[in-house]
Coordinates of all heavy atoms in Angstrom, one line a residue:
T85 N -98.4 -5.2 -146.5 CA -99.5 -5.6 -145.6 C -100.8 -5.3 -146.3 O -100.8 -4.4 -147.1 CB -99.4 -4.7 -144.3 OG1 -99.6 -3.4 -144.6 CG2 -98.1 -5.0 -143.5
Y87 N -105.3 -5.4 -145.3 CA -106.2 -5.6 -144.1 C -107.6 -5.7 -144.8 O -108.5 -6.0 -144.0 CB -106.1 -4.4 -143.1 CG -104.7 -4.1 -142.9 CD1 -104.2 -2.9 -143.5 CD2 -103.9 -4.8 -142.0 CE1 -102.9 -2.5 -143.2 CE2 -102.6 -4.4 -141.8 CZ -102.2 -3.2 -142.4 OH -100.8 -2.8 -142.1
L104 N -99.0 -9.7 -146.1 CA -99.0 -9.9 -144.7 C -100.2 -9.3 -144.1 O -100.5 -8.1 -144.3 CB -97.8 -9.4 -144.0 CG -97.8 -9.5 -142.6 CD1 -97.7 -10.8 -142.0 CD2 -96.7 -8.5 -141.9
G106 N -101.1 -7.8 -141.4 CA -100.1 -7.5 -140.1 C -101.1 -7.0 -139.0 O -102.2 -6.5 -139.2
D107 N -100.4 -7.2 -137.9 CA -101.1 -6.6 -136.6 C -101.0 -5.1 -136.6 O -101.6 -4.5 -135.8 CB -100.7 -7.3 -135.3 CG -99.1 -7.0 -135.0 OD1 -98.5 -6.5 -135.9 OD2 -98.8 -7.5 -134.0
S108 N -100.2 -4.6 -137.6 CA -100.2 -3.1 -137.7 C -101.7 -2.6 -138.1 O -101.9 -1.4 -138.1 CB -99.2 -2.7 -138.8 OG -99.4 -3.6 -139.9
D146 N -100.4 -12.7 -139.4 CA -99.6 -12.2 -138.2 C -100.3 -12.5 -137.0 O -101.3 -12.1 -136.6 CB -99.5 -10.7 -138.3 CG -98.3 -10.1 -137.8 OD1 -97.4 -10.8 -137.3 OD2 -98.1 -8.8 -137.7
K175 N -96.8 -15.5 -138.9 CA -95.5 -14.8 -138.5 C -95.7 -14.6 -137.0 O -96.7 -14.3 -136.5 CB -95.4 -13.4 -139.2 CG -94.3 -12.7 -138.8 CD -94.0 -11.5 -139.7 CE -94.8 -10.3 -139.3 NZ -94.8 -9.8 -137.9
E177 N -93.4 -12.7 -133.7 CA -92.4 -11.8 -133.3 C -91.5 -12.6 -132.2 O -92.1 -13.4 -131.3 CB -92.9 -10.6 -132.7 CG -93.6 -9.8 -133.7 CD -94.1 -8.4 -133.2 OE1 -93.7 -8.0 -132.1 OE2 -94.9 -7.7 -133.9
H199 N -89.5 -13.1 -136.8 CA -89.6 -11.6 -136.9 C -88.7 -11.1 -135.7 O -89.0 -11.3 -134.6 CB -91.0 -11.1 -136.8 CG -91.1 -9.6 -136.8 ND1 -92.4 -9.0 -137.0 CD2 -90.2 -8.5 -136.6 CE1 -92.2 -7.7 -137.0 NE2 -90.8 -7.4 -136.8
V242 N -88.4 -11.9 -140.9 CA -88.4 -10.4 -141.1 C -87.4 -9.8 -140.2 O -87.3 -10.1 -139.0 CB -89.9 -9.9 -140.7 CG1 -89.9 -8.4 -140.5 CG2 -90.9 -10.3 -141.7
E244 N -86.5 -6.2 -138.6 CA -87.2 -4.8 -138.5 C -86.3 -3.9 -137.7 O -85.8 -4.3 -136.6 CB -88.6 -5.0 -137.8 CG -89.2 -3.6 -137.6 CD -90.7 -3.5 -137.4 OE1 -91.3 -4.6 -137.4 OE2 -91.2 -2.5 -137.1
I265 N -87.5 -4.5 -143.1 CA -88.4 -3.3 -142.9 C -87.4 -2.3 -142.1 O -87.3 -2.6 -140.9 CB -89.7 -3.6 -142.5 CG1 -90.5 -2.3 -142.2 CG2 -89.8 -4.4 -141.2 CD1 -91.9 -2.3 -142.0
V275 N -90.5 -5.5 -147.0 CA -91.9 -5.3 -146.6 C -92.1 -3.9 -146.1 O -91.3 -3.3 -145.5 CB -92.4 -6.4 -145.5 CG1 -91.5 -6.3 -144.2 CG2 -93.9 -6.3 -145.2
V277 N -95.5 -1.3 -144.6 CA -96.9 -1.2 -144.1 C -97.6 -0.4 -145.3 O -97.2 0.8 -145.6 CB -97.0 -0.5 -142.7 CG1 -98.5 -0.1 -142.5 CG2 -96.6 -1.4 -141.7
Ligands
LIG9 O1 -97.8 -5.9 -138.7 C1 -97.0 -5.5 -139.5 O2 -97.2 -4.8 -140.4 C2 -95.6 -6.2 -139.5 C3 -94.7 -5.6 -140.5 C4 -94.2 -4.2 -140.1 C5 -93.5 -6.5 -140.8 O3 -95.3 -7.0 -138.7

Side-chain angles (χ1 to χ4, degrees):
T85 63
Y87 321 99
L104 172 69
D107 63 357
S108 49
D146 207 5
K175 178 171 81 58
E177 292 184 12
H199 181 161
V242 168
E244 179 163 355
I265 173 161
V275 57
V277 170

